[in-house]
Amino acid sequence: MSARALTGCRHRLALDTAASGADPDPGMALRVEAASVFRASVRDRMAGLTVIEPGEGAVTRTLDALARGADRVWGGVLPTAHGRRGHSELLIRVADGYVPVIVVNHKVSDPGAGATTSPLDRWAPAPDETVRVRQHRGDQMRLAHLTRMLQDAGHASSSLLGGSVGVDGARIVVHEIGPLLPQYDERFADRRAVLAGTSGTEPVRVAECRRCPWWPQCESVLAAQRDVSLVADGRSAPGLRAAGVTTVDQLAEYAGPQPEDVPVPIADLRAMARAWRDGQVLVRRTPEVRVRRADVEVDVDMESYQEYGAYLWGTWLRRDGVDEGYRPFATWEPVPTRDEARSFAAFWAFLMDRRAEAHAAGKTFAAYCYSQNAENKWLLASADRFAGEPGIPTRRAVEEFIASPEWVDMFDAVGDAFLSLEGRGLKKVAPVAGFHWRDAEAGGEASMLWYRVGVGIDPGFGDEDRAAQRERILAYNEDDVKATAALREFMSSERVNALPVVGD
Ligand code: SF4
């Protein structure tokens, strides 16, 4: 069993195991590829590595390297024992053995203080007053798993330390593994029992369900049981069950006090339970729904390819209540490419020109996106990467714009106005406003696959295929910006008053 099986939904583990040979998840393949590109970039910045190439004999070569005391072993594959399988990006030799260090493409620290860190090029753990640890359950379990494997192989350091290198690739964040081991052992035994079919599982709606291919099957089971987790997420459902509230109907009629260990206000949960019974997805937090409007409105949606670049900035312009349509700013040279600077500069000029025109005419202006993290990241990164090229704004200009009230995050506006039974994803929320995508397969991961064909990353496709996939991306991007515009229109119309209100 690999460390991956230790986190996430037990029921999924059972279903995945029973259905080995099911269609691979193409989104997973892309995430795995992105992670391996990132790991290779970290490896290339390290000196003095003994690299274990994957393939036949990797375990023997790893054990040879450890036995002769190699300082830093990259890609080591440890021998299978007690049903454990696994490899470590880095094994670092310390006084009496090795510590495992994993390289992951998510954040492992935040600005702050209190973490113990080590430089990348040598193992020297010390208190760090610039960052604090960001705990990640999957990373902890993987480090505990690798520690047990090193112990099984007779190469673990008695320090029982481990490390993780996060997406900034700046340092090793050091973790104490010893305190994690009892919990790891318990979980390992439980997951082995699930894999062996000796421990039963059942569906419970959790955050993971949103991206899980088993959701249709699990949803029908949960709906038949009218299970309370359908409206109360993983944070609240256990506390509700402990209070005897196991079905949506019980929650809808619950008149008691706030149950212990339920962090969401019981009035909100009760309103969502009633909405679920009525077939509604959104509940107004207050009778009056507010959203910022302007004389000149531009909806913006960016498409990027992994960490390589932002290849498309799509816009939808509406002036004085009249839709003027979709305008994309794209490069179809595979990113990374200098041509991205041209398309980004054209997009920025379009946005700033509409804003300047509005101000000159004494009109209000606003630009909208849906969940600004991605757009802000690439606005700033584009200003940095292409600084000095024609039409590229300074980082300061971008910072001023995204901090201004003229840059509006519709994701936040939806959260301020509504409770949602199905999360705040645009695909879940915009249909309530009557908006539907033309392409049923539209989605972030699908668009990455289309992009690979559209720009020729995937071989074996002709000009027609490439053109068709580019058109598909543009239609999807156009629908995304139209969706945020339609949502705003809905939120400021009388139609929104048909939605239930908390406390009704
Ligand atoms: S849909 Fe949810 S409950 Fe069902 S297997 Fe997937 S994660 Fe588990």
Side-chain angles (χ1 to χ4, degrees), residues 9-12 15 202-206 208-209 212-215 218 222:
C9 172
R10 293 173 84 244
H11 192 54
R12 183 174 185 172
L15 293 174
E202 54 187 33
V204 177
R205 183 166 163 264
V206 289
E208 188 179 344
C209 298
C212 177
W214 297 106
W215 176 241
C218 294
L222 293 169

